[in-house]
């Protein structure tokens, strides 16, 4: 069925006058009549009936109009969605990021990105989660890319190093370590530790490389819950520093030898990004990150 004929039918149903619609579409009235007749022949019913000098939809015509009008609107909506995605100034960016980036780093990045008038109208959709979950979103193309940790054995994913987050240890204010001005990994090996799921491999590897035991108290999904458990002395933890830490009932201890967690931009190797994500990716890769305690 010809979509041009359908569009002409819908317009005729709305205006109810052959001459006016033919003029509006820039075609001869007999041509418009033939377009309508082709639809009627194909579905086997009359869609219009005379009404004085005008026309009216028949009962079947009204039913047909309701269905095809909705279909045309969906087609237009689909076209508009794609145009918005690929528009160089009004595109859409689907971004995933790990929990520790949410309080400060992501808002700062977006503020800097949108400070350029040519980038101010991009729309964002966000996903938060641990690294395995975010990489799943990237693989399924739910996200254009994610800012997360590095994982081994991910052949579909291209990782680009973006920044290094300074790490600190946190303990309850009632813990003996809370009075220290700094701490070592060896001292943390002597107390129970709470691990966040998206940093489990990284933290375990820190202790393994140092040849130190790791006494795991429990694992949690996100950092705010972890800080709450630390505040009741359920265990200590190692986290990237953020300015919200002083608002929890915890002591924040820098390491005697500074330690950092690398953060990466992860995307599918085989994906062709639309304009908006390409612009944001370039912004991230060109940016110089400087994070400190």
């Amino acid at each position: 069925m010809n979509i041009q004929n359908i569009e002409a039918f819908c317009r005729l149903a709305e205006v109810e006058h052959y001459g006016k619609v033919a003029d509006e579409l820039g075609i001869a009235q007999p041509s418009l009549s033939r377009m309508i007749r082709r639809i009627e022949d194909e579905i086997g019913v009359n869609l219009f009936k005379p009404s004085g000098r005008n026309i009216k939809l028949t009962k079947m015509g009204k039913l047909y109009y309701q269905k095809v009008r909705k279909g045309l609107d969906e087609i237009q909506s689909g076209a508009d969605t794609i145009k918005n995605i690929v528009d160089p100034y009004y595109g859409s960016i689907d971004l995933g990021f790990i929990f520790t980036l949410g309080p400060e780093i992501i808002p700062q990045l977006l503020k800097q990105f949108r400070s350029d008038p040519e980038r101010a109208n991009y729309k964002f959709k966000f996903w938060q989660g641990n690294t395995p979950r975010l990489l799943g979103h990237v693989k399924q193309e739910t996200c254009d890319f994610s800012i997360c940790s590095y994982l081994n054995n991910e052949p579909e994913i291209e990782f680009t190093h973006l920044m290094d987050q300074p790490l600190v240890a946190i303990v309850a204010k009632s813990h003996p370590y809370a009075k220290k001005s700094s701490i070592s990994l060896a001292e943390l090996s002597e107390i129970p530790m709470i691990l966040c799921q998206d940093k489990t491999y990284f933290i375990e590897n820190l202790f393994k490389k140092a040849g130190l035991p790791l006494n795991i108290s429990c694992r949690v999904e996100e950092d705010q819950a972890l800080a709450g458990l630390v505040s009741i002395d359920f265990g200590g933890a190692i986290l990237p520093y953020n300015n919200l830490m002083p608002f929890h009932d915890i002591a924040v201890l820098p390491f005697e030898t500074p330690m950092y967690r690398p953060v990466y931009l992860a995307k599918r190797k085989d994906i062709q990004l639309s304009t908006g994500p390409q612009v944001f990716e370039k912004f991230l890769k060109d940016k110089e990150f400087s994070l400190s305690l």
Side-chain angles (χ1 to χ4, degrees):
M1 189 170 287
N2 189 314
I3 193 169
Q4 186 178 8
N5 293 350
I6 299 295
E7 290 172 337
F9 160 74
C10 286
R11 193 61 189 139
L12 187 59
E14 292 155 2
V15 176
E16 299 181 332
H17 194 286
Y18 269 101
K20 291 179 181 178
V21 173
D23 289 343
E24 185 180 311
L25 298 178
I27 60 177
Q29 188 169 323
S31 297
L32 176 59
S33 298
R34 285 193 294 271
M35 294 168 76
I36 302 303
R37 196 176 309 118
R38 289 191 190 103
I39 299 175
E40 292 177 330
D41 290 344
E42 187 167 341
I43 62 177
V45 296
N46 291 325
L47 298 172
F48 294 97
K49 60 184 179 181
S51 179
R53 294 184 177 182
N54 295 343
I55 54 171
K56 295 284 187 184
L57 285 169
T58 63
K59 181 179 179 180
M60 291 295 102
K62 291 178 181 178
L63 179 60
Y64 186 69
Y65 172 74
Q66 291 172 359
K67 298 295 184 181
V68 298
R69 178 72 272 172
K70 184 177 179 180
L72 286 178
D73 290 343
E74 287 295 317
I75 291 171
Q76 186 60 52
S77 175
D80 291 342
T81 297
I82 298 301
K83 287 178 182 178
N84 286 336
I85 290 173
V86 302
D87 189 294
Y89 300 107
Y90 295 87
S92 178
I93 300 165
D94 296 317
L95 175 65
F97 57 89
I98 49 179
F99 292 109
T100 54
L101 303 179
E104 293 178 89
I105 294 177
I106 292 299
Q108 291 172 6
L109 283 176
L110 296 182
K111 183 178 180 180
Q112 293 170 21
F113 178 74
R114 292 166 64 89
S115 65
D116 184 331
E118 291 190 355
R119 303 189 300 232
N121 292 313
Y122 284 112
K123 297 177 182 178
F124 281 85
K125 293 180 182 178
F126 300 108
W127 283 261
Q128 281 185 279
N130 57 38
T131 293
R133 181 184 300 170
L134 292 174
L135 292 182
H137 289 332
V138 172
K139 292 175 187 176
Q140 296 162 12
E141 299 186 47
T142 304
C143 293
D144 296 308
F145 30 61
S146 288
I147 304 177
C148 58
S149 301
Y150 180 89
L151 286 187
N152 289 317
N153 302 316
E154 292 289 349
E156 299 176 56
I157 303 297
E158 172 189 301
F159 290 94
T160 302
H161 179 259
L162 290 182
M163 69 186 87
D164 292 303
Q165 290 182 284
L167 293 173
V168 295
I170 58 174
V171 295
K173 287 185 176 179
S174 59
H175 194 280
Y177 285 174
K179 299 177 181 180
K180 296 175 64 66
S181 59
S182 63
I183 200 165
S184 69
L185 207 59
E187 289 170 312
L188 291 175
S189 70
E190 298 175 356
I191 66 172
M193 296 291 289
I194 305 171
L195 270 59
C196 199
Q197 289 182 6
D198 75 318
K199 291 176 282 293
T200 292
Y201 172 80
F202 179 77
I203 300 300
E204 287 178 340
N205 209 36
L206 287 178
F207 284 87
K208 184 178 179 181
K209 285 182 176 180
L212 295 169
L214 174 59
N215 178 14
I216 301 174
S217 171
C218 66
R219 290 180 170 87
V220 297
E221 187 170 78
E222 56 94 18
D223 296 343
Q224 299 306 312
L226 186 152
L229 290 173
V230 170
S231 71
I232 62 170
D233 204 14
F234 205 76
I238 297 174
L239 285 176
Y241 178 79
N242 70 72
N243 288 331
L244 295 181
M245 285 181 171
F247 294 96
H248 293 276
D249 194 24
I250 56 177
V252 180
L253 306 172
F255 281 95
E256 293 174 359
T257 302
M259 294 194 297
Y260 300 88
R261 182 179 77 156
V263 176
Y264 297 83
L265 181 69
K267 71 171 186 177
R268 282 179 59 130
K269 292 178 179 178
D270 61 349
I271 197 169
Q272 181 179 356
L273 296 173
S274 56
T275 304
Q278 286 183 35
V279 173
F280 190 64
E281 180 183 23
K282 185 177 187 304
F283 162 78
L284 290 175
K285 290 183 176 180
D286 289 348
K287 181 175 173 54
E288 292 186 8
F289 292 90
S290 179
L291 304 178
S292 60
L293 297 179

